[in-house]
Amino acid sequence: MKKVSLEQELKGNAYPGRGIVIGRSKDGTKAVAGYFIMGRSQNSRNRVFVEEGEGIRTQAFDPSKLEDPSLIIYAPVRVLGNDTIVTNGDQTDTVYEGLEQGKTFEVSLRSREFEPDAPNYTPRISGVMHVENGTYGYQMSILKSNNGDPSQCNRYTFSYDNCVAGEGHFIHTYMHDGNPLPSFEGEPKLVDIPDDIDAFTELLWSSLNEDNKVSLFTRYIDIATGKYETRIVNKNK
């Protein structure tokens, strides 16, 4: 697969929607995750990321302006033992509960499909990182309508074991802006992952469209020890 520039992918797309980047730092020592949200409506833009336990949650920046919370208020990141779950909706909880019950990531998501937000039918994108005893692997998933037809849900799971240092994969909800918004197509994109969490955070945040970006989360997990560093950037302050 041809590697693409994460910076150029973001700068060249005014509305990728919500995005997940998972990979391994260039020096090979860190498991890396990034998650961002964007918004076109006042309701979508009225959000911030806040820490909750070992994960994060979205919440209304101005509660008085919150309209429909159903698809915008959720926990994008949760941690269960050696697993870090990152998703673009409340399926984070579905994966968490499934793993807790001994189900796989893929089987846990069998009970879910794309979001009920016609005519977009926004894909549900998810990832899980497993760091244990100095080993690291991750999986990514997309649940999407069949070319905009909600009568069928297409399910794709991608697994990455023995992750290559300095590489990661990027998946997002929309190909580009539009009405309706066109769903992501193809495999997660192969991208470079730097060693430094602040450089990674800055690359993502500065590359996102200024008008549409809302919040960003990044995390670097030490593969040897499990200790992690987190950054959160919110446009609303």
Side-chain angles (χ1 to χ4, degrees):
M1 176 181 281
K2 183 180 178 181
K3 193 177 290 182
V4 299
S5 162
L6 188 53
E7 179 181 15
Q8 293 307 313
E9 285 291 306
L10 292 174
K11 285 185 174 179
N13 188 347
Y15 202 66
R18 285 163 274 172
I20 298 171
V21 184
I22 300 178
R24 188 170 191 156
S25 61
K26 194 172 182 181
D27 64 10
T29 66
K30 306 292 193 305
V32 175
Y35 176 64
F36 63 79
I37 60 174
M38 306 181 82
R40 298 189 302 177
S41 68
Q42 176 181 278
N43 198 41
S44 292
R45 291 177 175 181
N46 180 37
R47 289 184 290 174
V48 291
F49 285 167
V50 295
E51 291 191 74
E52 181 177 73
E54 291 186 281
I56 61 168
R57 170 167 292 282
T58 63
Q59 73 178 30
F61 175 65
D62 182 347
S64 70
K65 293 180 180 176
L66 180 64
E67 297 165 18
D68 177 10
S70 61
L71 293 175
I72 67 164
I73 302 299
Y74 56 93
V77 180
R78 294 186 68 184
V79 176
L80 177 66
N82 298 311
D83 293 316
T84 300
I85 305 155
V86 186
T87 90
N88 73 325
D90 63 10
Q91 74 269 26
T92 311
D93 299 333
T94 305
V95 174
Y96 184 98
E97 291 158 11
L99 295 177
E100 208 170 29
Q101 294 163 16
K103 297 177 183 176
T104 65
F105 172 68
E106 185 175 12
V107 169
S108 299
L109 286 166
R110 283 276 166 191
S111 64
R112 305 304 301 269
E113 51 181 44
F114 47 84
E115 295 181 358
D117 61 338
N120 298 316
Y121 302 112
T122 298
R124 290 191 186 272
I125 55 173
S126 309
V128 64
M129 311 160 71
H130 186 78
V131 177
E132 186 173 13
N133 297 327
T135 64
Y136 169 49
Y138 60 93
Q139 292 179 288
M140 302 180 90
S141 163
I142 181 167
L143 311 178
K144 54 187 285 190
S145 67
N146 185 31
N147 295 311
D149 177 0
S151 67
Q152 182 181 9
C153 179
N154 296 344
R155 302 169 181 276
Y156 305 90
T157 303
F158 305 90
S159 296
Y160 305 98
D161 300 321
N162 300 318
C163 313
V164 177
E167 292 186 357
H169 291 89
F170 172 41
I171 192 168
H172 48 95
T173 51
Y174 309 124
M175 292 298 288
H176 49 76
D177 205 348
N179 192 18
L181 288 156
S183 294
F184 181 89
E185 295 177 2
E187 291 183 45
K189 301 168 183 177
L190 182 63
V191 296
D192 285 321
I193 304 290
D195 283 337
D196 182 67
I197 186 172
D198 291 315
F200 182 59
T201 305
E202 171 61 23
L203 182 151
L204 288 170
W205 189 247
S206 64
S207 300
L208 289 167
N209 180 272
E210 185 63 34
D211 293 331
N212 295 324
K213 64 185 180 183
V214 175
S215 295
L216 169 67
F217 158 91
T218 57
R219 176 166 291 178
Y220 273 46
I221 306 167
D222 189 295
I223 295 169
T225 66
K227 294 181 179 178
Y228 60 80
E229 278 190 279
T230 299
R231 301 288 185 269
I232 291 174
V233 185
N234 291 308
K235 189 172 182 180
N236 294 311
K237 296 176 182 178

